[in-house]
Amino acid sequence: MNPAHPLDNVRVVLSHTSHPGNIGAAARAMKTMGLKSLCLVNPKSFPDKEAERRAAGAWDILTGAMVCADLGEALSGTILAAAITARPRDLSHQVFDARRGAIELLGYARQNPVALVFGTEMSGLTTLEVSKCQMVVHIPANPEYSSLNLASAVQLLAYELRMAAEPGSFSSAIGMTSVAARFEEIELLFHHLERVAISSGFLDPQEPKRLMQRIRRLFARARLEKEEVNILRGILGACEKRMNTRGVISTDDPAMPDK
Amino acid sequence: MNPAHPLDNVRVVLSHTSHPGNIGAAARAMKTMGLKSLCLVNPKSFPDKEAERRAAGAWDILTGAMVCADLGEALSGTILAAAITARPRDLSHQVFDARRGAIELLGYARQNPVALVFGTEMSGLTTLEVSKCQMVVHIPANPEYSSLNLASAVQLLAYELRMAAEPGSFSSAIGMTSVAARFEEIELLFHHLERVAISSGFLDPQEPKRLMQRIRRLFARARLEKEEVNILRGILGACEKRMNTRGVISTDDPAMPDK
């Protein structure tokens, strides 16, 4: 049997939320990142139509939400709770930024339930609430305007947890199913390009300067695919053919200038 | 004099946004992370009371927002644009996850304007819109429910940009002695290339297939410099001239085959 996915062990706790729309938006944010467990401490209005509307397709999170009378009840069974705050405070706690906090939390979530605790929209968590958590996580923000929407804060932490849960699995910056061109294919492209640059009159072979060096540098950055080399050589070949075809005639007409 | 902060060079482009509330929430999300420049392509309703309400304290972003008729106008002056998509798509550009994409973008934003491009709430970006960008960024999400709210997507990317901007956190090493080509310069290159592909007989304009899409993808990866665009257009122009010059003669000789 597979052990539970660590994200299944993460509980999102929203304390005394004022706007039901934010509860719905938080549920949606959780679900987009694969979090499932929502706990509401004394929400102002729940259930609520506005929460349902903003939850979009995350109704399952809303309907499964647990409603608690206080934070102690909401944290029951967890082994680690992180108080999410706008800025570091209360120096008695260990303070992490969102990224490191997520990594730390997830390490524990592999075995046991952990919690993220968010306060009210207006004033965040009380000192008493923070004191019930074992760590403080702050979200790096603009010091002149750090007023994150509650659901946005949930979104960022949920995202960091997902990133921490699956390191490396989303990071490939590669163009999918394509086949990379081989060295010799790219060399033939360069020769072809140089030939056309000369026959078109753009490049003077007596004074080539660094043209081909620049072109090599450009295409080196692109990491050419086999199919792309074929396309570029196809265009070059078509230009060459058209130029040469005309060229056969022009030799019959020496008065015709080359340019 | 201090150079501009790289975040000041990041333009957030929202294309055809349906709900004005999302525009306001996006403005707020931007401001929390220190982004300032918002551009709206053909929004359904703007200015709008609901946008102002959701912007909370980010009115300055809203009132400074630029409204454009199309994406080309919105990207004018940028040297790198990232299409934000829910998932990597067919024949896509170089694909980055949000973290690596932010690092890549920020590397360029230290010198020049760059853009993040977000599509509509319902259907995201069109293929044509994606084709005008040079990279694709996707936000890692729950594969069973990847429906991020638009403002949440803006929040996550803005956050990753801020994280990338913090000293010590970026690793992208770019040779910056060169001058990056601007969006409109690269568009002119594509038009030129297409014209030559057609006039050389390589591309049948009646059946273009996906040729230009492939070429866009190739050069998007290369992050063209101004000087490179000049070289490529110089070669194209020389070929064109040679083909046309000969073409004047060939009309005198209808027996001469084109191929």
Side-chain angles (χ1 to χ4, degrees), chain A residues 34-111:
Chain A
L35 299 186
K36 293 172 181 168
S37 170
L38 175 62
C39 181
L40 306 170
V41 177
N42 207 5
K44 193 163 179 186
S45 171
F46 187 84
D48 187 289
K49 283 274 175 236
E50 181 65 7
E52 289 167 18
R53 196 181 66 76
R54 293 280 298 279
W59 281 42
D60 50 336
I61 310 273
L62 275 193
T63 56
M66 187 166 66
V67 179
C68 298
D70 59 47
L71 184 58
E73 189 186 339
L75 295 182
S76 166
T78 63
I79 58 145
L80 182 60
I84 316 301
T85 66
R87 56 191 67 231
R89 56 170 172 180
D90 185 349
L91 296 176
S92 61
H93 286 73
Q94 200 174 4
V95 179
F96 296 82
D97 70 10
R99 184 156 302 165
R100 283 167 196 257
I103 292 166
E104 179 79 5
L105 274 166
L106 209 83
Y108 291 90
R110 294 184 194 283
Q111 303 286 342

Side-chain angles (χ1 to χ4, degrees), chain A residues 25 27-35 50 53-58 97-99 121 139-153 155-157 159-160 162-164 168-176 178 193 196-202 210-211 214-215 217-219 221-225 227-236 238-250 253 256-259, chain B residues 25 27-35 53-58 88-100 121 138-153 155-156 159-160 162-163 166 175 177-178 193 196-202 211 214-215 217-219 221-225 227-236 238-243 245-250 253 256-259:
Chain A
R28 178 176 178 181
M30 288 170 60
K31 188 166 180 179
T32 61
M33 296 299 149
L35 299 186
E50 181 65 7
R53 196 181 66 76
R54 293 280 298 279
D97 70 10
R99 184 156 302 165
E121 293 92 335
I139 298 173
N142 179 359
E144 287 158 29
Y145 182 79
S146 59
S147 162
L148 263 89
N149 167 265
L150 174 59
S152 290
Q155 182 77 68
L156 287 179
L157 264 304
Y159 164 77
E160 283 289 10
R162 184 171 190 85
M163 291 296 284
S169 64
F170 296 104
S171 57
S172 132
I174 294 157
M176 324 236 134
S178 54
L193 231 161
V196 171
I198 291 171
S199 64
S200 70
F202 180 77
R210 300 193 307 170
L211 182 81
R214 295 217 56 150
I215 285 179
R217 176 166 162 267
L218 185 180
F219 285 109
R221 292 203 310 275
R223 309 261 190 280
L224 286 165
E225 296 168 10
E227 178 66 18
E228 291 167 349
V229 170
N230 291 342
I231 288 172
L232 293 173
R233 294 202 60 188
I235 296 174
L236 290 170
C239 286
E240 230 173 359
K241 199 168 179 179
R242 187 67 55 118
M243 290 192 290
N244 287 343
T245 304
R246 311 307 189 196
V248 170
I249 304 167
S250 81
D253 183 358
M256 190 66 214
D258 267 3
K259 289 197 175 180
Chain B
R28 177 176 178 180
M30 287 170 59
K31 189 166 180 179
T32 61
M33 295 299 149
L35 299 186
R53 197 181 65 77
R54 293 280 297 280
R89 22 175 145 185
D90 175 48
L91 195 68
S92 67
H93 296 53
Q94 197 171 11
V95 178
F96 295 83
D97 70 10
R99 184 154 304 163
R100 285 172 192 245
E121 292 92 335
H138 83 105
I139 297 173
N142 179 0
E144 287 157 29
Y145 183 78
S146 58
S147 161
L148 263 89
N149 168 264
L150 174 60
S152 291
Q155 183 77 69
L156 287 180
Y159 164 77
E160 283 289 9
R162 185 171 191 86
M163 291 296 285
E166 298 208 334
T177 51
S178 52
L193 229 160
V196 170
I198 291 171
S199 63
S200 70
F202 180 78
L211 181 80
R214 294 217 57 151
I215 285 179
R217 174 167 165 268
L218 184 180
F219 286 109
R221 293 202 311 274
R223 311 263 190 276
L224 286 165
E225 296 167 10
E227 178 65 17
E228 291 166 348
V229 170
N230 290 343
I231 289 172
L232 293 173
R233 292 201 63 187
I235 297 175
L236 290 170
C239 286
E240 233 175 356
K241 199 168 179 182
R242 189 64 57 118
M243 290 192 289
T245 306
R246 309 309 187 195
V248 172
I249 306 168
S250 80
D253 183 358
M256 193 64 218
D258 267 3
K259 290 195 178 187

Side-chain angles (χ1 to χ4, degrees), chain B residues 11-119:
Chain B
R11 190 180 299 174
V12 171
V13 178
L14 305 182
S15 180
H16 294 82
T17 310
S18 304
H19 299 295
N22 284 333
I23 295 175
R28 177 176 178 180
M30 287 170 59
K31 189 166 180 179
T32 61
M33 295 299 149
L35 299 186
K36 293 172 182 169
S37 168
L38 174 62
C39 182
L40 307 170
V41 178
N42 207 4
K44 193 163 178 185
S45 172
F46 187 84
D48 187 289
K49 284 271 174 240
E50 180 66 7
E52 288 165 19
R53 197 181 65 77
R54 293 280 297 280
W59 279 43
D60 51 337
I61 310 272
L62 275 193
T63 54
M66 183 169 68
V67 178
C68 298
D70 58 47
L71 184 58
E73 190 186 338
L75 295 182
S76 170
T78 64
I79 60 143
L80 182 60
I84 315 301
T85 67
R87 54 191 67 230
R89 22 175 145 185
D90 175 48
L91 195 68
S92 67
H93 296 53
Q94 197 171 11
V95 178
F96 295 83
D97 70 10
R99 184 154 304 163
R100 285 172 192 245
I103 292 167
E104 178 81 3
L105 273 166
L106 208 82
Y108 289 89
R110 294 183 193 284
Q111 302 287 345
N112 289 291
V114 302
L116 296 172
V117 185
F118 297 83

